Amino acid sequence: MTVARTRRRASPEKTRPSIFWPLAGIVVPLAGVMARIEIEGGENVPMEGAYVLAPNHYSEFDPVIVAVATWRLGRAPRFLVKEGLFRVPVFGWALRVTGMIPVARAGSAATAKQTIETAERLIAAGSGVIIYPEGSLTRDPDLWPMRGKTGAVRVALSGDLPVIPMATWGVQKILPRYGKLSLWPPRKRVKILVGPPVDLSAYAGRGSHHASLVEATDVVMDRIAALEGELRGETPPAERWDPTQHGQKETGRLEP
């Protein structure tokens, strides 16, 4: 598969002066030293309006790659972030001024209310949000997407927002999962494939039903896995890895 660079006009979100300008001036060149990012399907990221971007997660460094790719596609990268990080000095300030979205701890009684508030905030601001449906780094031994959490579809269904699936591949050569950063050789090839919005119309109005959320999440995870399969030139496993079935603790999860 040939993965081509995607070039298109920038949205007002990127062209208006903001805190993202100086941050991008630092992060984008640094990321460019480590990764040669190639994007295909960038036209699937809407230029205006709210949306949920749902990538795979297999390296501690892939949020940087996803953020840079989102910026290159003309949108400001905003992530769903654990609310406790907003209380960290300096770092918490940076999260707030860049418009990152706090999320309650898994199982919290405030989760449902906060999901609705998040959706309403995104709609009002016309912003996108990046949510890792897996909730944490995949535990799959071969780095395929594992079982998903319901956070991404919760936000999407609460606000009738499109869910845009994304897959990246190659970031593990820069920073392997739980490994050490590799700076040589520089500009390692990282491929990104963005798919069209996932059709979740069958679940409209059912965002409060757990079974429906799980089904919708499976649909999203299937699409992400298929995109990763295209990048890898391989067929994804028929069954996704479930950490609970392998005695693995799901640390760092953001939602039930």
Side-chain angles (χ1 to χ4, degrees):
M1 174 183 175
T2 300
V3 181
R5 292 178 178 272
T6 298
R7 297 181 181 276
R8 59 183 197 161
R9 65 183 180 83
S11 71
E13 194 175 43
K14 182 177 179 180
T15 56
R16 281 195 299 265
S18 72
I19 188 64
F20 285 101
W21 281 18
L23 289 176
I26 298 171
V27 175
V28 172
L30 287 177
V33 171
M34 292 182 278
R36 177 165 56 90
I37 302 174
E38 301 175 353
I39 307 171
E40 184 173 291
E43 68 277 2
N44 291 308
V45 175
M47 291 307 301
E48 297 181 352
Y51 64 95
V52 174
L53 184 64
N56 58 332
H57 194 18
Y58 57 97
S59 165
E60 293 91 336
F61 194 71
D62 61 51
V64 175
I65 297 298
V66 171
V68 170
T70 303
W71 183 253
R72 276 179 44 182
L73 292 173
R75 298 301 302 260
R78 294 183 174 89
F79 289 82
L80 205 66
V81 180
K82 289 184 289 186
E83 62 181 356
L85 295 177
F86 284 76
R87 295 190 289 272
V88 178
V90 182
F91 185 63
W93 170 83
L95 294 176
R96 285 189 291 272
V97 298
T98 52
M100 302 300 166
I101 308 295
V103 61
R105 293 183 61 183
S108 168
T111 298
K113 178 181 178 182
Q114 192 173 59
T115 296
I116 295 173
E117 292 175 347
T118 297
E120 291 175 344
R121 189 184 317 172
L122 291 172
I123 293 170
S127 302
V129 63
I130 302 164
I131 304 178
Y132 284 101
E134 294 164 272
S136 62
L137 288 170
T138 182
R139 304 301 196 273
D140 185 281
D142 296 319
L143 303 183
W144 291 103
M146 65 177 179
R147 184 188 66 175
K149 304 297 182 181
T150 59
V153 297
R154 281 180 186 269
V155 172
L157 293 176
S158 293
D160 192 24
L161 307 179
V163 177
I164 314 298
M166 170 189 276
T168 74
W169 190 244
V171 187
Q172 75 279 7
K173 296 177 181 178
I174 300 171
L175 181 60
R177 180 184 55 185
Y178 310 127
K180 295 182 179 179
L181 188 67
S182 172
L183 299 177
W184 190 263
R187 289 184 57 77
K188 297 178 178 66
R189 186 186 187 195
V190 174
K191 299 182 291 183
I192 297 178
L193 183 56
V194 186
V198 181
D199 183 6
L200 297 180
S201 58
Y203 306 96
R206 298 162 59 189
S208 60
H209 298 85
H210 182 70
S212 297
L213 291 171
V214 171
E215 289 181 18
T217 298
D218 284 342
V219 172
V220 173
M221 295 309 302
D222 283 344
R223 187 60 189 134
I224 295 172
L227 293 174
E228 183 178 326
E230 290 187 49
L231 291 178
R232 295 172 60 163
E234 303 174 27
T235 301
E239 186 174 338
R240 276 184 294 280
W241 186 268
D242 184 346
T244 63
Q245 300 300 315
H246 297 272
Q248 295 173 320
K249 186 178 179 181
E250 297 181 87
T251 58
R253 56 182 186 155
L254 298 180
E255 70 284 324

